[in-house]
Amino acid sequence: MAIFEITRECMTPLSETSFGVEGIYERNDLQRHLKQHISVLSSDLMVISEEYGDWIDSNRRIDLLCIDAEANIVVVEIKRTSDGGHMELQAIRYAAMLSTMTFKQLIDAHASYVRPQGQTHEEAEAAVLAFLRWDEANEEDFAKEVRIILAAADFSKEITTSVMWLNDHEIDIRCIRLKPYRLPDGRVLLDVQQIIPLPEAADYQTKIRAKEQAEKEHRVERHEIRYQFWTDLLEYAKTKTSLFSGKKPTAAGGFGVSPGKAGLLLGFVTRGNDAHVELEIDYRDATKCLEVYRHFQQHSVEIGETFDGEIDWDQSSERRACHIRCFVSGGWKSPREEWPLIHKNLVDKMIKLEAAVRPYIASIPG
């Protein structure tokens, strides 16, 4: 979008130019100005070093090595070209290499950077501590993240697509466009715009990522609890029946074993605050499912007498599979002190269900 000069009489667009046309060089001009005015890129940065390259087995150098007010390392890569080259790949490599940097190494880097200005190692450390508002070095809170800032005249679609994808995957990487304009009197203006993520959307995206992270942590916690619920159930079940002797626990909502006939599964299921045992009838052919279900249903009186409890006969018109079930109170979300009783009830019901349907498995038609 153009920049305009406005007067009382008119509004005139300024002429876009390029760093090359204006004789503005990457390192000698852009990088030099930005390190002296780093707040142009972000208001919370301190320059630690320039052309940093203290690596083992590598001669690569970071344009500007910075830290932010939260003690995160920030990699700044600068290009004067209009496509950005492959700067995002460079920056990712640098970020990975810096991810193991210690606070002591950071101070050493800054001390080397300011030594030509006559500053001592102690003064360099004091400056960093003052910027961070720390009383003393704190390795535990240092460099919890490595951020990336890409600054260029413009960015190719490949870079912007990559950066948006990385942001979606919780990598803090930003694109800042540096666009020069020439005034009629020959002076050059620099329009600095953060284009990814848009500043207006950054807070919203941060909240979205926080929500997604919370949901991810909840899923992990849910799976861990469910896995333990089934682990405890199987340990108890193996003391009462050989049905599940070779079964391993799962983090899923249920599991089962074959009673020796294809299309049938004796299983445990929990959906949070309730659980049940079931005989699942599931063939690829819905007609076959219904035929086998009706075979068992013809013996519902005998099955009910043997089971000696309430049975739920589920012939769903919406699903292919049919079920013969018995519900119990409580599930994996129940307090852990209640789990032993829930497991006992489930195992007892499973033993009774298996005994009730077993006589009619061999006579399944077809």
Side-chain angles (χ1 to χ4, degrees), residues 311-342:
I311 292 179
D312 177 63
W313 294 81
D314 176 32
Q315 176 193 335
S316 175
S317 60
E318 299 177 357
R319 299 186 305 274
R320 182 182 64 197
C322 301
H323 300 85
I324 304 170
R325 297 185 175 120
C326 177
F327 290 86
V328 303
S329 298
W332 68 270
K333 284 187 178 180
S334 300
R336 293 207 178 198
E337 59 268 22
E338 297 179 9
W339 284 9
L341 179 59
I342 298 169

Side-chain angles (χ1 to χ4, degrees), residues 21-81:
V21 168
E22 301 300 331
I24 297 174
Y25 293 95
E26 199 166 277
R27 183 180 302 177
N28 293 337
D29 298 312
L30 273 179
Q31 188 169 308
R32 175 172 58 87
H33 287 306
L34 288 173
K35 76 176 180 181
Q36 293 170 353
H37 304 280
I38 195 63
S39 60
V40 168
L41 300 181
S42 183
S43 61
D44 64 342
L45 297 183
M46 175 183 180
V47 177
I48 295 299
S49 185
E50 180 182 21
E51 295 298 318
Y52 178 81
D54 191 10
W55 320 108
I56 297 175
D57 299 329
S58 178
N59 59 0
R60 299 182 182 278
R61 296 184 178 275
I62 299 172
D63 292 342
L64 296 176
L65 170 63
C66 303
I67 56 171
D68 66 17
E70 300 298 321
N72 297 311
I73 294 172
V74 183
V75 174
V76 177
E77 278 299 295
I78 304 163
K79 297 290 182 188
R80 71 170 189 163
T81 58

